[in-house]
Amino acid sequence: MSAAPAQAAFPLAIIAGSGEYPPRLASLAAARGHEVYVAAIEGAAQPGDFAPHSVRAYRLGQLGRLLDELKRRGIGDLVMIGALPRPSFGSLLPEPSTLKYLPHFARAFQGGDDHLLKGVVQFFENQGYRVHGPADIAPALTAPLGALGRRQAPTVARAVIEQGFALLAALSPFDVGQAAIVADHRVVAIEAAEGTDAMIKRVAELVASGRLKFARHDGVLVKAPKDGQDLRVDMPAIGPDTLRNLAQAGLSGVALRAGKVLVGDSDRLGKLADELGLFVEGVA
């Protein structure tokens, strides 16, 4: 059987927040033949991180200006990636070209983060744009199946890992975090609004103070998207700081849903895991 044809390249706009993922996505997309234009959100992305790609900084209130530029460049496809703290509706400070879009976003802000993100996707789709997920453009950004480094999750941890994934699936309807820490077949922590790294640090503080005890290197972090989560705009992610925090907390490693969690440079992350004595493993 012949291999499936490679995806045809097309002009692509990257709406970029902060972090290492937007610049890496730009590089991987360009390597696949996409002509990349970066809309760097002010206060989050740094335009200088995207050389040699075309880039321009935009405030959130300059949506109309962004749409005009995408039309001028003939771009019909976009991807959104990177961290961006949720703004208040009153902080948007729209330019005149953006005022006509405010009713849509006023409705989008009347709900939680998932509701807002879905409203953003719906807006661009209503304008005729195709919204892609980072994994659609650059699958190499996500956790592969199996271990990223030399270490694999020990056999005794397999049941704990599945317990963690079952917990995250059960919590999905409540729209809480995308990660949990499980040790000795008990739930130690569940991610809430503070984020994964802050949750790990909270566990490290509890261990250091003696308020939480488990065998060193027994605990496991599990991370996966919620059921029905729109991975085009809200894909879970880990990075080098996550691994350093895990080591500081005395945990043994992290299990990720393969293909559904951003890891950035998987080779680099695997090497760091080896240095820290951790496993990082993508689970089907």
Side-chain angles (χ1 to χ4, degrees):
M1 180 180 296
S2 60
Q7 181 187 43
F10 43 79
L12 178 72
I14 298 177
I15 300 177
S18 64
E20 66 173 291
Y21 299 117
R24 182 156 176 79
L25 175 62
S27 296
L28 291 172
R32 297 183 71 185
H34 296 284
E35 182 181 344
V36 172
Y37 175 69
V38 180
I41 303 302
E42 285 189 2
Q46 299 297 321
D49 292 342
F50 296 93
H53 310 293
S54 298
V55 59
R56 183 173 179 177
Y58 293 89
R59 289 190 295 101
L60 291 176
Q62 293 177 320
L63 180 59
R65 183 178 302 194
L66 169 61
L67 294 179
D68 289 343
E69 182 65 14
L70 297 184
K71 183 177 180 180
R72 187 185 73 81
R73 290 174 174 267
I75 297 176
D77 297 80
L78 59 86
V79 59
M80 291 175 272
I81 187 171
L84 184 67
R86 176 175 174 142
S88 66
F89 181 70
S91 69
L92 296 181
L93 301 176
E95 292 183 337
S97 62
T98 303
L99 289 173
K100 61 183 177 182
Y101 305 123
L102 286 189
H104 175 91
F105 286 98
R107 293 189 294 271
F109 270 87
Q110 294 174 358
D113 289 346
D114 282 355
H115 182 77
L116 176 58
L117 289 170
K118 288 177 180 177
V120 173
V121 171
Q122 183 185 56
F123 170 80
F124 281 109
E125 289 181 333
N126 289 346
Q127 302 299 315
Y129 292 92
R130 290 172 292 275
V131 180
H132 302 269
D136 301 326
I137 302 299
L141 279 176
T142 66
L145 186 63
L148 273 64
R150 294 191 300 268
R151 292 175 179 265
Q152 294 183 326
T155 302
V156 294
R158 299 292 175 183
V160 173
I161 289 170
E162 288 308 314
Q163 179 186 13
F165 282 134
L167 169 70
L168 295 180
L171 291 173
S172 286
F174 298 96
D175 193 17
V176 293
Q178 306 161 339
I181 294 174
V182 186
D184 193 26
H185 298 281
R186 63 190 175 114
V187 178
V188 172
I190 298 172
E191 178 189 355
E194 79 273 36
T196 301
D197 287 337
M199 174 191 67
I200 300 170
K201 290 180 180 179
R202 173 161 50 92
V203 170
E205 291 170 358
L206 290 172
V207 171
S209 68
R211 296 170 58 194
L212 177 63
K213 296 182 180 181
F214 54 84
R216 184 165 179 81
H217 297 303
D218 178 54
V220 175
L221 171 72
V222 292
K223 187 148 187 170
K226 294 167 282 190
D227 292 342
Q229 187 169 328
D230 193 337
L231 299 182
R232 293 177 296 173
V233 289
D234 189 18
M235 180 171 276
I238 68 166
D241 286 345
T242 308
L243 299 194
R244 296 186 186 100
N245 291 332
L246 286 173
Q248 182 68 29
L251 303 178
S252 61
V254 53
L256 313 167
R257 280 298 184 208
K260 295 185 177 181
V261 178
L262 292 169
V263 297
D265 188 334
S266 59
D267 289 339
R268 187 182 68 172
L269 206 64
K271 291 177 182 176
L272 178 59
D274 292 340
E275 292 173 7
L276 296 172
L278 303 172
F279 72 84
V280 180
E281 190 164 330
V283 180

